[in-house]
Amino acid sequence: MGNLDDLNLAQRAAVEAGPGPILVLAGPGSGKTRVLTHRIVYLIQDLDIAPWRIMAVTFTNKAAREMRHRVDSLLGAKSSGLTMGTFHATCARMLRRESENLLGYDGNFLIFDTADQRQVAKQALQDLALDDKKFSPNRMLSGISTAKNELVTPEQYAASNYISEITRRVYQRYQEILVANNAMDFDDLLMNTVLLLDDRPDVLERYQRKYQYILVDEFQDTNTAQYELLKRLVNSQGNIFVVGDADQSIYKWRGADFRNLIRFREHYPNAQLILLEQNYRSTQVILDAAKAIIRHNRERVDKELFTDRKGGSQIIIREAYNDVEEAELVVNTIEQIMLEGVHLGDCAVMYRTNAQSRVLEEAFIRAGINYRLVGATRFYGRREIKDLVAYLRLVHNLADSVSFGRVINTPTRGIGKKTMQTLSQWAQREGRQPGEALIQLIEEPDIAHPFSGRALSSLTRFGNMLRDWISMKDRLTIGELLDTIIDGSGYRLFIDDGTAEGRDRWANVMELRNVAVEFDELTLSEFLEQVALVADIDDLEEDPDAPTLLTLHAAKGLEFPVVFIVGLEEGMLPHSRSLDEADELAEERRLFYVGLTRAMDRIYLSHAFRRTTYGGTEVSVPSRFIQDIPEELLEGGSSGQRRRESQRRVSSWNWSSQTTSHSNRSGIERDARQKTTVRQVLPEPSSGQSLAKDEKKPVLTEAQYRTGQQVHHHKFGNGIVIESKLTGNDEEVVVAFSGSDVGIKKLVASLAKLEIKE
DNA sequence: GGATCTCATGTTTTT
DNA sequence: CATGAGATCC
């Protein structure tokens, strides 16, 4: 009785379906998480299945957490024992538990992230005396990853040409290095689990007996390894429940194959099929636009998505002069719709590539608006964090040569390339990893070794420190261990050099320390696993009042009242790397579809006339996807009209850009037709900031703010004006705020609404 | 051995 | 442009 009354007929049918295999095809916003959680509750409560007999897998920790949370709130504490997590985390757990059956690994194995993988690939290339310019580590890694996703081991790898023969050799060596490091990469977690189950029928049988019910979210994102894993785990009762939507398949590049949905039906011909077609999220307008977009893809089964939310705001498409102005457009529009009662937290800005976030961030900062950013420079990707995690990893697993290499001379302690090389060679001769060799050097004074003088004393000092840390790692909490390492290594002096950047980095270190203290009850092994398997999206906090900036990929599974999708240009979305293959183009379209269907109420689409890609700016063409949205769903003119307008602007901008540096603004002012377009496209020109502000505001001739003035900002508090200058028709004010965590900010006067306090 | 500079190089999406 | 690798200077 997990509140089945809250469900519609199809949802309810899914929740209560079975026994046997069940395939739920769930359109966007059709309540699939709801169905999954209710299904779990139903199994436990109505069918009396013990929670520990249920496994539910997702693709992100966030999804898993959310599901557990919902199950718990429906069920109370009775869900304990439930296996719920990402594919990767679930596999890692199984592998650790079965580590004695794993050839070459022990239960302390580490998980290597992408940066670590690159190091290993480089090492492999070096070991094979191959030129890493001719065979780029990335290329090698992608070949290796593809193989692993297809469950192809180095021995099985069939080389069909020169480059694949190289890949095969590198793969082989790469794998040897991983084993020597007692480390697995992400793909290994999946592949090794499958290999283990194939290798050990007794283990397989144990798991099959244990898990009577398996549930899978986002099934369209499974790759071969994941699919095969599930196939093995499902026992003869065949109680597997999968939810997916081929139209939201956006991870082909990671080996995902939505045809697994079809394979599922072939493999389980008796599978019950349930369609969730009612959308509870979006307005009719949004849904119609999304359907119009996705309909262009071939090779798909059309779902009859429908919603009760008839009508709705029309979709707004705008062109900005360049990416900076596009960002301003977004910010201005957000400020404007706030007047209509929209909250900052209701808004999301989505883009194709992480690189696009910067311009947006800058625009939000100028406007003094907080934002939350998903991804881009992930916390655990920062240098200082990686350094310290490397220390922890090395202490935990002395065999980790990647961490060893990272840490041995950070902070610098007089161990250079030469010494490092000698150490590696010596270690290799002794059949050990460099870290192990170093400890041996410390503990066996009589051992023959190739070091002397300065190198020896540096090595000894570091080795002693390392040995001490290892000896206390089990007595100390992770926080204490981290403190000891920071202290002993002199890391603080190294990183906190007094500059603003140094302070930021130190602040990050302290943040890591907080995390460590927070996870104090975890073992070091668990902590490191946690660190390795977090995704960017995982630490998205719940609704602070700030707009969210994220990639379209990261947006999957989320919803927002107001969605902005920026950079709708050929080469951007669809991305240039996908233009010459129909499959990839179809995936870009799905990506756009995913973005559109995140929106509940309003959608703003934009593209820039010129875009700054690394180096210069390039003129861009509006995305082909825009033309696929029916005109009656758009506000402001037909697409044909817009295209003509944009053609005209091309000439006017080209013309004006040669004369003034603020060509965009003057260009707009000079082109009467452009004004018309802007007006048409704006939601409410009357209340309008946004581009239209240029027309209405008198040009500023004198600065409002002066150096030394005391000012107040609603968010940053009190401060003193350091500098103020006119920029075109606005004023840029630099203010030093007294709040210690605020510091110096550059603000745009018309947006920041500074009060002068004199 | 180490720091600093220059140059090239390449950029999708992520567990 | 932002990062990394190699060259150069201390």
Side-chain angles (χ1 to χ4, degrees):
Chain A
M1 41 132 267
N3 274 342
L4 289 176
D5 300 343
D6 301 348
L7 304 171
N8 69 30
L9 279 174
Q11 290 173 334
R12 189 166 171 159
V15 167
E16 297 182 310
I22 297 141
L23 173 61
V24 180
L25 298 180
S30 63
K32 74 182 169 62
T33 311
R34 205 182 169 77
V35 164
L36 275 166
T37 49
H38 276 84
R39 168 88 180 168
I40 293 170
V41 172
Y42 168 80
L43 292 175
I44 296 173
Q45 225 162 40
D46 295 39
L47 297 193
D48 222 16
I49 309 295
W52 56 269
R53 291 197 167 281
I54 301 171
M55 171 191 277
V57 277
T58 61
F59 277 85
T60 65
N61 294 299
K62 186 172 189 292
R65 257 203 318 259
E66 197 172 302
M67 218 146 86
R68 178 175 293 276
H69 188 76
R70 290 214 217 169
V71 168
D72 279 348
S73 70
L74 285 171
L75 208 56
K78 279 181 287 180
S79 76
S80 69
L82 190 65
T83 299
M84 176 130 70
T86 63
F87 270 99
H88 295 268
T90 307
C91 286
R93 216 164 305 142
M94 283 173 65
L95 289 171
R96 276 193 217 287
R97 202 169 301 137
E98 307 299 330
S99 58
E100 74 270 21
N101 296 322
L102 281 178
L103 217 58
Y105 287 101
D106 69 44
N108 282 339
F109 68 81
L110 289 170
I111 298 163
F112 272 7
D113 68 15
T114 321
D116 305 323
Q117 284 177 268
R118 261 220 344 248
Q119 285 304 115
V120 176
K122 276 187 186 167
Q123 182 66 54
L125 285 163
Q126 205 178 47
D127 291 352
L128 297 171
L130 290 165
D131 183 357
D132 66 354
K133 290 207 180 75
K134 229 159 137 195
F135 311 101
S136 81
N138 284 338
R139 191 164 172 195
M140 295 294 115
L141 284 172
S142 105
I144 293 169
S145 177
T146 308
K148 288 183 178 179
N149 287 332
E150 291 293 321
L151 297 172
V152 175
T153 62
E155 295 74 40
Q156 296 163 338
Y157 194 97
S160 53
N161 54 36
Y162 182 58
I163 187 75
S164 67
E165 170 58 20
I166 298 293
T167 309
R168 187 188 66 77
R169 291 185 203 169
V170 174
Y171 181 14
Q172 188 148 29
R173 180 69 194 131
Y174 172 89
Q175 214 56 20
E176 286 166 11
I177 298 174
L178 283 179
V179 173
N181 278 272
N182 195 25
M184 297 192 193
D185 65 19
F186 293 129
D187 301 320
D188 281 336
L189 294 173
L190 304 173
M191 183 168 81
N192 285 337
T193 308
V194 173
L195 294 181
L196 171 74
L197 296 178
D198 282 351
D199 200 40
R200 297 291 302 262
D202 55 319
V203 176
L204 175 63
E205 205 202 317
R206 209 164 68 228
Y207 280 103
Q208 283 184 341
R209 250 207 318 274
K210 169 168 175 172
Y211 292 116
Q212 312 229 316
Y213 287 85
I214 295 176
L215 300 91
V216 189
D217 192 12
E218 310 275 17
F219 191 72
Q220 77 282 353
D221 287 337
T222 50
N223 60 31
T224 301
Q226 286 157 335
Y227 183 82
E228 291 297 321
L229 173 70
L230 292 168
K231 223 161 96 181
R232 282 160 179 71
L233 285 175
V234 175
N235 63 26
S236 56
Q237 293 170 53
N239 285 319
I240 178 165
F241 182 96
V242 308
V243 183
D245 178 7
D247 290 336
Q248 294 184 64
S249 156
I250 54 176
Y251 286 106
K252 178 178 188 287
W253 51 275
R254 217 166 79 188
D257 187 354
F258 66 85
R259 274 171 289 250
N260 281 343
L261 287 164
I262 302 164
R263 263 172 226 139
F264 184 88
R265 294 189 70 179
E266 285 165 359
H267 191 249
Y268 299 107
N270 61 334
Q272 200 176 332
L273 179 69
I274 294 163
L275 291 153
L276 301 182
E277 295 177 307
Q278 180 165 8
N279 174 298
Y280 291 94
R281 178 183 298 152
S282 312
T283 64
Q284 188 71 54
V285 167
I286 291 170
L287 209 56
D288 285 347
K291 285 163 78 171
I293 289 294
I294 201 68
R295 203 169 290 134
H296 283 78
N297 275 358
R298 291 151 186 277
E299 209 191 336
R300 64 178 283 281
V301 189
D302 206 20
K303 283 187 288 300
E304 271 315 311
L305 292 180
F306 66 97
T307 174
D308 284 343
R309 302 188 58 197
K310 299 293 169 224
S313 305
Q314 284 175 302
I315 291 170
I316 296 170
I317 302 186
R318 287 184 259 185
E319 174 174 71
Y321 171 69
N322 59 18
D323 45 0
V324 174
E325 199 155 281
E326 182 183 42
E328 267 164 24
L329 207 58
V330 169
V331 172
N332 291 341
T333 307
I334 288 177
E335 287 181 322
Q336 185 194 319
I337 60 180
M338 280 173 72
L339 302 175
E340 300 165 25
V342 173
H343 295 282
L344 285 172
D346 294 341
C347 304
V349 189
M350 302 174 187
Y351 36 81
R352 176 67 234 264
T353 68
N354 274 309
Q356 291 170 267
S357 76
R358 244 193 50 194
V359 191
L360 288 159
E361 289 183 70
E362 284 163 3
F364 278 110
I365 291 170
R366 273 200 302 276
I369 297 176
N370 275 334
Y371 56 87
R372 27 182 212 164
L373 177 71
V374 178
T377 46
R378 35 181 311 180
F379 182 67
Y380 289 104
R382 290 168 208 266
R383 190 186 350 142
E384 60 277 18
I385 302 305
K386 288 222 73 174
D387 284 346
L388 289 173
V389 170
Y391 272 106
L392 290 176
R393 289 196 342 189
L394 183 62
V395 169
H396 174 63
N397 173 17
L398 193 55
D400 180 353
S401 64
V402 173
S403 293
F404 185 81
R406 180 171 194 106
V407 136
I408 177 109
N409 204 28
T410 353
T412 48
R413 47 175 73 90
I415 302 173
K417 217 169 144 189
K418 188 80 196 300
T419 312
M420 189 54 206
Q421 207 176 4
T422 317
L423 178 62
S424 290
Q425 281 164 359
W426 179 57
Q428 204 158 27
R429 275 202 307 277
E430 301 282 307
R432 301 180 171 269
Q433 293 291 96
E436 298 165 338
L438 178 62
I439 293 297
Q440 198 179 19
L441 182 71
I442 303 298
E443 300 205 316
E444 297 171 35
D446 299 334
I447 199 167
H449 61 76
F451 306 104
S452 62
R454 240 190 7 220
L456 180 61
S457 73
S458 301
L459 280 174
T460 313
R461 269 190 43 217
F462 180 65
N464 277 321
M465 212 154 55
L466 183 58
R467 187 192 50 186
D468 291 348
W469 293 332
I470 292 172
S471 71
M472 36 184 157
K473 70 170 183 195
D474 294 325
R475 275 183 289 123
L476 302 180
T477 64
I478 299 166
E480 289 163 346
L481 181 60
L482 195 58
D483 282 342
T484 313
I485 289 171
I486 291 171
D487 212 39
S489 64
Y491 199 80
R492 175 167 193 171
L493 275 172
F494 171 69
I495 208 77
D496 189 1
D497 53 4
T499 63
E501 199 199 342
R503 268 182 34 208
D504 277 358
R505 291 189 183 283
W506 179 246
N508 286 332
V509 171
M510 286 292 94
E511 179 57 29
L512 176 70
R513 192 179 169 279
N514 288 344
V515 176
V517 170
E518 194 183 322
F519 285 110
D520 247 2
E521 80 282 5
L522 293 187
T523 64
L524 189 49
S525 181
E526 289 165 334
F527 177 74
L528 291 172
E529 177 170 319
Q530 192 105 154
V531 167
L533 293 180
V534 285
D536 294 326
I537 189 71
D538 292 337
D539 27 60
L540 184 66
E541 303 142 31
E542 278 313 304
D543 58 52
D545 195 25
T548 306
L549 274 49
L550 74 183
T551 62
L552 288 160
H553 281 91
K556 191 158 67 119
L558 305 178
E559 63 179 20
F560 300 91
V562 181
V563 167
F564 293 80
I565 302 178
V566 301
L568 273 160
E569 296 136 39
E570 285 294 302
M572 211 70 221
L573 182 67
H575 194 271
S576 52
R577 306 267 285 227
S578 65
L579 292 179
D580 34 67
E581 251 195 90
D583 270 10
E584 305 207 5
L585 205 59
E587 179 139 318
E588 297 290 304
R589 195 177 274 284
R590 290 194 293 270
L591 197 50
F592 186 40
Y593 174 78
V594 166
L596 292 172
T597 54
R598 299 308 96 198
M600 297 156 78
D601 305 325
R602 300 197 206 185
I603 293 181
Y604 294 85
L605 307 176
S606 61
H607 52 102
F609 163 61
R610 348 183 63 173
R611 182 162 296 276
T612 345
T613 38
Y614 55 108
T617 67
E618 302 254 326
V619 171
S620 52
V621 177
S623 167
R624 65 189 75 185
F625 296 154
I626 292 178
Q627 288 149 33
D628 296 333
I629 303 175
E631 284 171 12
E632 66 267 22
L633 303 176
L634 299 178
E635 186 166 306
S638 71
S639 56
Q641 213 175 323
R642 271 197 321 279
R643 231 188 333 278
R644 281 193 299 282
E645 294 296 344
S646 124
Q647 291 301 315
R648 280 201 191 88
R649 257 167 291 153
V650 170
S651 48
S652 85
W653 267 319
N654 279 343
W655 162 75
S656 59
S657 62
Q658 290 168 354
T659 48
T660 71
S661 58
H662 287 288
S663 55
N664 48 343
R665 301 207 185 273
S666 29
I668 288 166
E669 300 255 79
R670 277 174 213 157
D671 191 341
R673 287 168 214 280
Q674 163 61 15
K675 270 188 204 165
T676 323
T677 313
V678 169
R679 241 192 235 111
Q680 276 178 345
V681 176
L682 278 173
E684 279 188 12
S686 53
S687 63
Q689 289 203 316
S690 200
L691 278 184
K693 75 184 173 196
D694 291 8
E695 304 164 35
K696 300 212 295 187
K697 251 199 240 154
V699 173
L700 287 172
T701 51
E702 205 178 336
Q704 282 175 268
Y705 301 95
R706 279 177 219 298
T707 307
Q709 246 170 2
Q710 304 263 356
V711 290
H712 181 82
H713 184 272
H714 70 285
K715 197 151 246 148
F716 302 140
N718 295 327
I720 294 175
V721 176
I722 297 178
E723 192 195 345
S724 180
K725 63 175 179 217
L726 295 174
T727 55
N729 43 14
D730 210 325
E731 186 178 346
E732 193 178 274
V733 197
V734 181
V735 183
F737 288 100
S738 52
S740 58
D741 49 341
V742 185
I744 295 170
K745 290 248 187 285
K746 205 183 263 185
L747 304 163
V748 173
S750 68
L751 300 176
K753 301 184 199 85
L754 288 168
E755 286 168 48
I756 299 172
K757 296 194 8 171
E758 267 173 337

